[in-house]
Amino acid sequence: AQKVTQAQTEISVVEKEDVTLDCVYETRDTTYYLFWYKQPPSGELVFLIRRNSFDEQNEISGRYSWNFQKSTSSFNFTITASQVVDSAVYFCALNDYKLSFGAGTTVTVRA
Amino acid sequence: EAQVTQNPRYLITVTGKKLTVTCSQNMNHEYMSWYRQDPGLGLRQIYYSMNVEVTDKGDVPEGYKVSRKEKRNFPLILESPSPNQTSLYFCASSSKQGNEQYFGPGTRLTVT
């Protein structure tokens, strides 16, 4: 069974639109960590955020925001006022007793 | 500069010819791991290491070997590569399991 599900394979938006990436996870552990990583077209993997299971506060970093809801096992990511430079593959990941990645969501922002 | 390095970045080889992909980090991290990235499957963990001389299997260990003789190095060995091991490989390190991982630039391997 997939532990991290990113249901959206691809999302295409026009610049300045908001885009929300869904991430649903599955674990029986009470202590775990959730992550988002970005993979731009150049191929490197860039860490965006880490959240532990006891911290349900939402976080905002510039145009990026994250919504963690334990009740629905979701850790969604929103890009506000998207820009072309946001075009990338975004991965959600869960670390309970090991690290599992979702399949990724490809975001294309058109000028 | 804190970084994870991998070599080679690109490799084309033939079935059965043993190869090693090196990985090195300069952050004194305890935790290191290897992933392969395939379209539609995200990143899947091959092996990981909690510290020197401590390694364990990830989700897709078949056909791979690793060793951790020094803290900074974590090579990935393919004893007899096969075409289904054609993939993009990433090495990563973190100060401990559960912390954010720092990834190397990736190694694109093609096995013909």
Side-chain angles (χ1 to χ4, degrees):
Chain A
Q2 205 166 10
K3 296 191 72 169
V4 180
T5 302
Q6 294 181 254
Q8 305 143 308
T9 306
E10 294 183 28
I11 299 175
S12 182
V13 297
V14 177
E15 219 172 10
K16 295 187 184 160
E17 285 185 4
D18 297 348
V19 56
T20 295
L21 311 182
D22 298 332
C23 174
V24 174
Y25 62 91
E26 182 186 325
T27 182
R28 282 182 282 191
D29 289 2
T30 54
T31 301
Y32 53 89
Y33 302 90
L34 296 163
F35 302 85
W36 278 95
Y37 288 87
K38 174 182 180 180
Q39 186 176 41
S42 51
E44 73 272 22
L45 283 153
V46 178
F47 164 76
L48 294 178
I49 190 170
R50 169 182 181 263
R51 177 64 80 227
N52 75 53
S53 53
F54 299 107
D55 182 2
E56 283 195 74
Q57 268 192 322
N58 291 331
E59 175 139 350
I60 298 174
S61 176
R63 296 184 296 105
Y64 293 172
S65 62
W66 291 269
N67 180 260
F68 175 29
Q69 292 199 331
K70 246 171 140 172
S71 59
T72 55
S73 296
S74 65
F75 187 42
N76 297 337
F77 172 32
T78 297
I79 303 172
T80 303
S82 60
Q83 299 176 2
V84 172
V85 292
D86 296 325
S87 296
V89 182
Y90 292 87
F91 292 99
C92 180
L94 163 72
N95 193 322
D96 43 17
Y97 61 93
K98 66 179 183 118
L99 185 60
S100 302
F101 282 82
T105 298
T106 301
V107 173
T108 302
V109 182
R110 308 186 307 278
Chain B
E1 180 194 352
Q3 60 182 349
V4 178
T5 56
Q6 292 179 231
N7 281 292
R9 295 289 313 278
Y10 302 90
L11 180 59
I12 301 174
T13 190
V14 296
T15 299
K17 186 176 180 184
K18 181 179 178 180
L19 66 91
T20 299
V21 184
T22 64
C23 172
S24 183
Q25 51 92 4
N26 62 1
M27 295 169 277
N28 202 36
H29 283 168
E30 291 186 352
Y31 185 89
M32 297 185 75
S33 57
W34 275 102
Y35 301 87
R36 60 178 288 173
Q37 182 179 5
D38 302 289
L41 297 177
L43 284 87
R44 293 178 293 167
Q45 193 175 57
I46 303 171
Y47 269 95
Y48 64 94
S49 170
M50 304 280 273
N51 214 325
V52 176
E53 301 292 2
V54 181
T55 63
D56 209 345
K57 296 177 181 178
D59 292 319
V60 289
E62 295 78 23
Y64 304 95
K65 283 175 59 176
V66 293
S67 68
R68 187 94 182 271
K69 294 188 172 64
E70 308 163 279
K71 201 170 188 179
R72 62 182 293 129
N73 295 324
F74 190 45
L76 179 70
I77 303 154
L78 285 73
E79 295 266 358
S80 183
S82 62
N84 65 11
Q85 292 178 298
T86 291
S87 189
L88 178 59
Y89 291 87
F90 286 97
C91 179
S93 74
S94 65
S95 52
K96 64 176 183 178
Q97 191 177 21
N99 285 358
E100 65 269 25
Q101 301 212 19
Y102 294 81
F103 285 85
T107 294
R108 186 164 292 283
L109 172 66
T110 302
V111 183
T112 61

